[in-house]
Amino acid sequence: MHLRFLGSNSEQGTCPAVYETDRDTIAVQGKIVTDPTALGEAVNLAPDEVLVEIPKDLVPFFPRG
């Protein structure tokens, strides 16, 4: 997989960030959600998946269409 950086709201250029992949998917960099209540509310979270929390102001970096 290769990533193309789309944007970040961090002045240091670190977490959180949004990327586009060469597999026609989006990857996000953020804080791993560890709260048991939140994880219990996740729908069909597979053993090889994690929830990542990002601020809403990163949404404009997501590509449209």
Side-chain angles (χ1 to χ4, degrees), residues 4-35:
R4 182 173 70 90
F5 177 75
L6 297 178
S8 174
N9 68 347
S10 172
E11 293 180 15
Q12 294 81 22
T14 59
C15 182
V18 177
Y19 302 86
E20 186 173 39
T21 76
D22 61 345
R23 301 188 320 183
D24 201 30
T25 59
I26 301 299
V28 295
Q29 177 182 343
K31 302 282 185 185
I32 295 175
V33 175
T34 58
D35 180 273

Side-chain angles (χ1 to χ4, degrees), residues 20-64:
E20 186 173 39
T21 76
D22 61 345
R23 301 188 320 183
D24 201 30
T25 59
I26 301 299
V28 295
Q29 177 182 343
K31 302 282 185 185
I32 295 175
V33 175
T34 58
D35 180 273
T37 301
L39 292 172
E41 295 170 348
V43 178
N44 299 325
L45 190 62
D48 63 342
E49 296 176 332
V50 297
L51 289 178
V52 178
E53 185 176 18
I54 62 169
K56 287 182 179 181
D57 62 355
L58 281 184
V59 171
F61 293 111
F62 282 70
R64 304 247 184 251

